[in-house]
Amino acid sequence: MTKTDCLVVGGGIVGLAVARACARRGLEVVVLESAETVGTQTTSRSSEVLHAGIYYPRGSLKARFCVRGRELLTRYCDEHGVTRRQPGKLIVAADAAQLGRLGDLMRLGTANGVGDLRLIGPAELREREPAVAGAGALFSPSTGIVDVDGIVRAFRLDLEAAGGAIALRSKVIGGRVGRDGFTVETTNGEATGRLLVNCAGLGAWDVARSLTGFDDPIPPRRLAKGNYFGLSGAPAPFRHLIYPVPSDGGLGVHFTMDLTGSARFGPDVEWLDETTSPEAIDYSVDTSRVHAFEHAIRTYWPEMPTGALVPNYAGVRPKVAGRGEPPGDFVIAGPETHGVDGLVNLFGIESPGITASPAIGEHVVGLVAPPTT
């Protein structure tokens, strides 16, 4: 039996950020990860974008933690030698009818603390990106891209240097709330801790429901698959990240690049059956969606060559709001929410979860181990 101060379920980037923060606060921490290694599920299937904090309602956890997280993560990457670039982002209005939406986004981002946003007209848009067509754009110079695998490695090293440990191939299959803490059953044995933080991502709902003695309501579970396509032949003719005006369930089929400059387009939004288990998710790219991708991309890149898109990869976003519903916020439910001392459940940690991860770590450690005065 493993005994520790704090059990963190899930070794994605958010789980590692939380575990690192707890270990640096002086807690003995064990991360329970179901996979063969850390950071290989939702974390590894992202756009690798460092978001500025534009899209999220003022005062929401997404807004607060994105802006704070970008500040922390930018500094962290520079201090730990994790590669990042800052090409900036253009959110493009396809026509004059969408220009008002750009103004709304600028006001929202500015209210969230993003201080460098700027509306640009069609002339500057053409100057910056000659291949992009649009009536104008919102320019976010602080949006960047980052080596997510590098962050995962650095977080893991920090965690282990602070005395934390990671138990791999340890899927949580049940547990109970006791008077002095928590006992969980895993596929690799039993573990106990006086604190339990559920960062299991797609499986967070299953973990919460498996705890005997915890019967508080939990939010709905929605799953949005996002397909990505790459570009064959010549490289994409862009210097910035290119986004359309946001659409239902996501930010629209946008152009990003990896750190080598290779193009990627996506993700789209493909709603899955909400009862699908993490193990049953099909991560293959749905090639039948290529025509919808071509149509979406040509709203800002009309000269994209026909047949240029090739399947790349897919990911699934854990959400608390579904098709046609207002976008959901992060749900971080601690003792003040459900009344169980020492327990924190994290639900719906989707984009901008990578950018927000160090700020989420700060917040969670404050819930389970507030600093002494």
Side-chain angles (χ1 to χ4, degrees):
M1 177 188 291
T2 298
K3 295 183 178 181
T4 191
D5 291 331
C6 181
L7 297 170
V8 175
V9 184
I13 195 168
V14 172
L16 292 174
V18 168
R20 170 183 175 270
C22 290
R24 288 163 62 90
R25 185 62 60 83
L27 297 173
E28 185 180 29
V29 181
V30 174
V31 176
L32 304 173
E33 168 54 48
S34 63
E36 297 288 326
T37 190
V38 295
T40 59
Q41 298 184 12
T42 305
T43 297
S44 68
R45 297 175 177 275
S46 75
S47 298
E48 295 191 301
V49 173
L50 272 177
H51 290 282
I54 299 168
Y55 301 96
Y56 319 110
R58 186 176 183 182
S60 66
L61 295 184
K62 285 184 176 180
R64 289 168 47 201
F65 294 159
C66 184
V67 173
R68 173 63 174 160
R70 176 172 52 83
E71 174 190 338
L72 293 173
L73 203 53
T74 298
R75 185 186 321 135
Y76 183 86
C77 290
D78 293 345
E79 291 173 351
H80 290 75
V82 177
T83 305
R84 67 178 184 91
R85 289 179 54 203
Q86 199 165 308
K89 172 168 72 175
L90 293 167
I91 304 173
V92 178
D95 52 39
Q98 291 187 343
L99 290 175
R101 182 67 178 126
L102 293 186
D104 293 341
L105 289 172
M106 180 169 177
R107 286 186 288 273
L108 183 58
T110 301
N112 288 341
V114 186
D116 58 357
L117 299 174
R118 186 164 62 86
L119 291 169
I120 65 173
E124 183 175 346
L125 176 60
R126 283 193 299 271
E127 181 181 346
R128 287 183 171 275
E129 294 289 0
V132 171
L138 179 62
F139 179 41
S140 171
S142 57
T143 300
I145 54 176
V146 68
D147 177 8
V148 171
D149 287 343
I151 298 171
V152 167
R153 288 191 298 270
F155 278 179
R156 179 175 186 171
L157 289 173
D158 278 356
L159 168 64
E160 292 173 340
I166 299 172
L168 301 173
R169 298 176 293 279
S170 298
K171 175 181 171 61
V172 172
I173 54 177
R176 61 187 180 275
V177 179
R179 287 183 301 175
D180 301 317
F182 306 86
T183 300
V184 297
E185 298 291 336
T186 82
T187 51
N188 197 25
E190 193 174 81
T192 65
R194 61 182 182 86
L195 306 170
L196 178 63
V197 184
N198 173 13
C199 299
L202 297 169
W205 289 261
D206 295 334
V207 170
R209 292 189 184 106
S210 76
L211 294 176
T212 303
F214 175 75
D215 56 3
D216 274 48
I218 61 176
R221 177 180 186 257
R222 305 288 185 257
L223 301 177
K225 181 177 179 180
N227 298 275
Y228 290 82
F229 284 81
L231 195 64
S232 65
F238 307 128
R239 296 185 297 115
H240 305 76
L241 309 183
I242 310 295
Y243 282 58
V245 169
S247 60
D248 177 41
L251 301 183
V253 173
H254 48 266
F255 163 79
T256 62
M257 64 192 84
D258 64 19
L259 290 164
T260 70
S262 295
R264 54 174 66 136
F265 293 92
D268 61 351
V269 178
E270 178 185 350
W271 294 103
L272 303 182
D273 184 335
E274 63 195 50
T275 65
T276 305
S277 70
E279 295 80 12
I281 290 173
D282 178 5
Y283 284 106
S284 61
V285 175
D286 183 352
T287 56
S288 70
R289 302 175 80 85
V290 69
H291 299 298
F293 266 72
E294 290 175 344
H295 176 76
I297 294 165
R298 287 198 175 104
T299 63
Y300 55 85
W301 184 22
E303 300 304 320
M304 184 185 72
T306 300
L309 296 180
V310 292
N312 197 333
Y313 63 98
V316 174
R317 307 186 287 281
K319 289 177 168 285
V320 296
R323 187 196 310 266
E325 299 174 337
D329 199 5
F330 295 154
V331 175
I332 301 179
E336 76 290 347
T337 301
H338 49 61
V340 179
D341 289 341
L343 174 65
V344 182
N345 286 307
L346 285 75
F347 303 108
I349 310 299
E350 53 166 335
S351 179
I354 287 173
T355 305
S357 59
I360 294 174
E362 275 188 339
H363 178 71
V364 171
V365 76
L367 297 178
V368 299
T372 57
T373 56

